[in-house]
Amino acid sequence: MRVDVFQQYESEVRSYCRSFPTVFTKAKGSYIEAQDGQRYLDFFAGAGALNFGHNPDLVKQRLIEYLQEDGILHGLDMYTDAKGQFLQALQEQILQPKSLDYRVQFCGPTGTNAVEAALKIARKVKGRRNIFAFQGGYHGMTLGALACTGNSYNRKGAGTALPDVTFMPFPFGPMKEIDTIAYLDAVLSDSSSGIEKPAAVLLETVQAEGGVVVAPTPWLKQLRSLCDKHDILMIVDDIQVGCGRSGNFFSFERAGIVPDIVTLSKSISGCGLPLAVVLLKPELDVWQPGEHNGTFRGNQLAFVSGTVGIELFQSLNLPAQVAEKSQLLQQELSGIIDRLDARMELRGLGMIWGVDLAPLGNERLIDQITSLCFQDGLIIENAGRKGQVLKLLPPLTASSDELHIGLEIIERAMKKAL
Ligand code: PMP
């Protein structure tokens, strides 16, 4: 297949393929392979959709069995065995052991649709239009979720108003010096603040697209208390850093808080098949039947693979693996920064790490680094306000050797670019 087929026939809106301009054919584990036989170590992992790596054996086996038995492929939102198995696994293996009491809503199979559903139900429950989102946050590209996304380039794409959202400062950058919780409290307590009380606060506990910005644990706890104080719902968007990426299954566990609503997608299907869910406290589940509808709310293959994903999360003891590899990544990246330029800033936790090149003041560096990595056999993307953060998002199942190989490629690329 020629690359110019895509350039000629596919919309200009295509994006990642521009950074990795080759035709991919196969993938396994931490590697993705192009048609010319070149193998690439994948430190982007489907933007966080491949926590278990590409084509995990057990997932593949179950999918093949399911297909061979003529298991249902499309079932609207009917009761199917595949959906039942997934629901039971999620409730019994993940939620109940953590004493998390949530109803599971299946929505359209993309992250952004889960965010839309979460916003709708929050507004319906509280009877308020406004939502507080955070500066630097990313929640998706459909209008409701986009209204909660800070990035001006993405927002411009809407071509229309993005109403009923107020952006609040996230404890990062210049806002780090501000007591953002006190600011929120003041705004909510002052009847002349001019800011409407929101139905919900929507946040990522680690802003991923925003440049790997980790919200401090005390801040998360304070935000939870603030939501309770002012009768506001807390929605955690765990689409990118959920399903084990942060070290626990849910990213908010490290703060010991329980959100009212959680969105999950990306890695919840165990292998990158489209699936998205909203977890709701039972008292918030006041939907009327079909009020948030959709033809594709029952991706049966994703239910099958997602059930395996939950089994793998347990059997591989991913939290222990992530803790170990997190340390490796942090230590090695700190070493690279010390050797090359100590002005670079390292942020992250679990298996999401970002090296922020913004302090170097050369905006062209990052593209040079990612393309040098690609030439050297590593897929890695950038993130952050000005795209200045090299974002490491390897599969959680990547071996230490694979992590070392990737880190060596990164160091070589940085050295050359610098
Ligand atoms: N929320 C977060 C935190 C995300 O990272 C993303 C995707 N990058 C989305 C929502 C949107 O998900 P999707 O691209 O599947 O619509």
Side-chain angles (χ1 to χ4, degrees):
M1 183 61 63
R2 301 184 326 265
V3 166
D4 61 7
V5 167
F6 305 94
Q7 289 160 350
Q8 191 179 350
Y9 293 143
E10 194 180 353
S11 161
E12 291 300 325
V13 80
R14 65 193 191 278
S15 56
Y16 299 125
C17 49
R18 296 174 191 268
S19 311
F20 313 113
T22 185
V23 180
F24 295 100
T25 48
K26 293 203 280 189
K28 188 74 191 166
S30 304
Y31 283 89
I32 178 165
E33 192 176 317
Q35 62 183 7
D36 59 6
Q38 171 74 46
R39 291 172 83 228
Y40 297 87
L41 187 55
D42 190 355
F43 271 24
F44 191 33
L50 297 166
N51 282 4
F52 304 93
H54 290 272
N55 303 9
D57 283 336
L58 193 59
V59 171
K60 221 174 75 177
Q61 185 194 323
R62 292 278 180 82
L63 287 173
I64 290 168
E65 282 166 14
Y66 186 79
L67 287 169
Q68 277 185 331
E69 288 161 6
D70 267 334
I72 291 162
L73 279 182
H74 181 91
L76 294 168
D77 75 339
M78 316 260 219
Y79 300 145
T80 63
D81 185 54
K83 179 156 79 175
Q85 300 284 349
F86 176 79
L87 270 171
Q88 274 181 334
L90 184 60
Q91 287 287 354
E92 292 167 14
Q93 296 183 51
I94 303 291
L95 299 176
Q96 287 165 15
K98 298 178 190 297
S99 301
L100 290 171
D101 188 10
Y102 288 124
R103 290 279 182 87
V104 181
Q105 176 185 358
F106 296 106
C107 49
T110 59
T112 197
N113 198 267
V115 174
E116 295 292 339
L119 296 173
K120 275 194 198 175
I121 196 67
R123 285 173 167 136
K124 178 175 159 123
V125 167
K126 291 297 176 194
R128 301 177 206 135
R129 282 162 40 168
N130 201 22
I131 299 287
F132 280 4
F134 287 95
Q135 294 166 6
Y138 183 99
H139 300 285
M141 291 293 102
T142 49
L143 290 181
L146 184 54
C148 298
T149 295
N151 185 287
S152 55
Y153 178 80
N154 291 141
R155 292 175 70 81
K156 204 157 50 72
T160 186
L162 296 170
D164 297 331
V165 176
T166 309
F167 282 90
M168 288 290 150
F170 205 66
F172 175 64
M175 301 299 186
K176 211 177 195 166
E177 310 306 322
I178 295 169
D179 185 341
T180 50
I181 298 289
Y183 174 71
L184 262 97
D185 195 20
V187 161
L188 290 165
S189 306
D190 178 6
S191 59
S192 286
S193 69
I195 294 175
E196 257 180 63
K197 179 166 167 166
V201 164
L202 170 66
L203 73 147
E204 298 161 272
T205 69
V206 180
Q207 290 188 336
E209 302 299 329
V212 192
V213 179
V214 182
T217 301
W219 186 87
L220 291 168
K221 285 186 201 286
Q222 287 165 12
L223 186 64
R224 177 65 271 186
S225 307
L226 191 78
C227 288
D228 292 338
K229 177 177 167 193
H230 293 280
D231 180 35
I232 294 165
L233 297 174
M234 179 188 242
I235 308 173
V236 167
D237 179 348
D238 236 3
I239 288 168
Q240 186 155 162
V241 295
C243 304
R245 176 65 57 186
S246 75
N248 299 306
F249 188 87
F250 294 106
S251 73
F252 50 81
E253 289 179 65
R254 78 185 154 99
I257 57 167
V258 178
D260 300 295
I261 303 174
V262 182
T263 56
L264 286 176
S265 186
K266 293 200 192 262
S267 279
I268 189 66
S269 76
C271 67
L273 284 173
L275 183 65
V277 300
V278 182
L279 306 178
L280 304 162
K281 283 197 176 161
E283 64 272 23
L284 303 180
D285 188 21
V286 296
W287 287 113
Q288 293 296 311
E291 206 178 359
H292 187 82
N293 216 328
T295 308
F296 294 114
R297 286 171 300 147
N299 186 347
Q300 308 296 316
L301 286 180
F303 292 145
V304 171
S305 59
T307 305
V308 183
I310 290 167
E311 282 172 33
L312 286 176
F313 183 83
Q314 311 286 15
S315 63
L316 298 176
N317 193 1
L318 277 189
Q321 285 203 38
V322 171
E324 201 176 302
K325 292 173 206 167
S326 179
Q327 243 186 353
L328 185 160
L329 288 170
Q330 183 176 20
Q331 278 170 5
E332 296 295 318
L333 287 166
S334 304
I336 292 174
I337 290 171
D338 287 345
R339 287 192 288 280
L340 297 183
D341 192 325
R343 288 174 301 166
M344 293 189 277
E345 187 180 316
L346 179 63
R347 294 189 297 267
L349 92 186
M351 284 180 75
I352 176 164
W353 288 90
V355 181
D356 195 340
L357 304 181
L360 306 190
N362 178 350
E363 291 193 6
R364 294 211 320 276
L365 270 179
I366 189 87
D367 287 342
Q368 289 167 359
I369 292 169
T370 51
S371 65
L372 282 167
C373 283
F374 182 62
Q375 285 166 33
D376 211 2
L378 178 74
I379 300 227
I380 189 162
E381 258 290 0
N382 59 336
R385 282 172 157 71
K386 289 186 171 171
Q388 291 295 295
V389 181
L390 188 71
K391 186 169 81 168
L392 286 83
L393 214 59
L396 309 185
T397 52
S399 68
S400 303
D401 283 350
E402 288 166 344
L403 295 179
H404 279 295
I405 293 170
L407 288 160
E408 279 166 23
I409 295 174
I410 290 170
E411 180 160 12
R412 269 201 300 277
M414 281 185 162
K415 209 171 188 170
K416 202 163 172 185
L418 285 163

